[in-house]
Amino acid sequence: LNPGGVDVELRHGSLFTPLEGCEPFDYILVNPPFEPVPPGTDHFLHSHGGEDGLDLVREMLTALPAHLKPGGRFEMYTWAPGNDETSVLVDLLRAAFPSGRIEVHRVHDRPLDERLRPFRAEKGYAAWRQRLIDAGYTSIWGVFTRVDSEGPAETVILDLPDEVEACIEIAREWD
């Protein structure tokens, strides 16, 4: 499955633990568990992102800059709670990369209640939902992020739902 002969080494473990003692990387690509899930709810491990969907992202971002070479790049696709103007993920990325260039590509934006709907029957749903609303969240963004670890220190939010929908419509023609 590696026709280009790229040198790949697989390691198993929790976040950066298996990488202790390794040289920093030029490029880190991540697709973390990102689905908001009410506390105490059993859910698929591959998508359980905690109460607001960002538990693993927060943990990862505290250690990630130390594992990236100067001038290295970090990319991630995730969901992140937000509102019409921004997502909490923007602040998390800026805190992790204060001097990096951050691009947040909003590829879709769904109302909060639409994303929470699968959990309506769960115990504690109403209180969980209210905590998210009280935090100012009105929607869940689907985002692709790109961070260049070295400047210019700027944050760019690109709103792409229309372009993504146009691509989906083209793909439907092939079905």
Side-chain angles (χ1 to χ4, degrees), residues 14-91:
S14 180
L15 290 177
F16 295 105
T17 303
L19 303 177
E20 290 175 11
C22 287
E23 292 290 318
F25 294 89
D26 294 311
Y27 183 73
I28 296 175
L29 177 65
V30 179
N31 178 228
F34 52 70
E35 190 171 2
V37 177
T41 302
D42 287 332
H43 194 59
F44 302 108
L45 182 60
H46 65 80
S47 61
H48 194 308
E51 186 160 327
D52 68 354
L54 295 174
D55 284 0
L56 188 76
V57 170
R58 281 186 186 87
E59 184 179 347
M60 175 191 58
L61 286 177
T62 61
L64 192 138
H67 294 281
L68 199 58
K69 287 182 181 177
R73 175 178 280 178
F74 164 64
E75 295 184 3
M76 171 176 63
Y77 179 83
T78 192
W79 287 359
N83 55 41
D84 289 341
E85 289 84 39
T86 193
S87 165
V88 66
L89 183 61
V90 173
D91 293 335

Side-chain angles (χ1 to χ4, degrees), residues 135-149:
Y137 305 143
T138 59
S139 61
I140 303 291
W141 291 21
V143 294
F144 169 75
T145 61
R146 176 179 294 134
V147 178
D148 290 313
S149 63

Side-chain angles (χ1 to χ4, degrees), residues 10 99 107 136 142 152:
L10 300 177
S99 62
V107 297

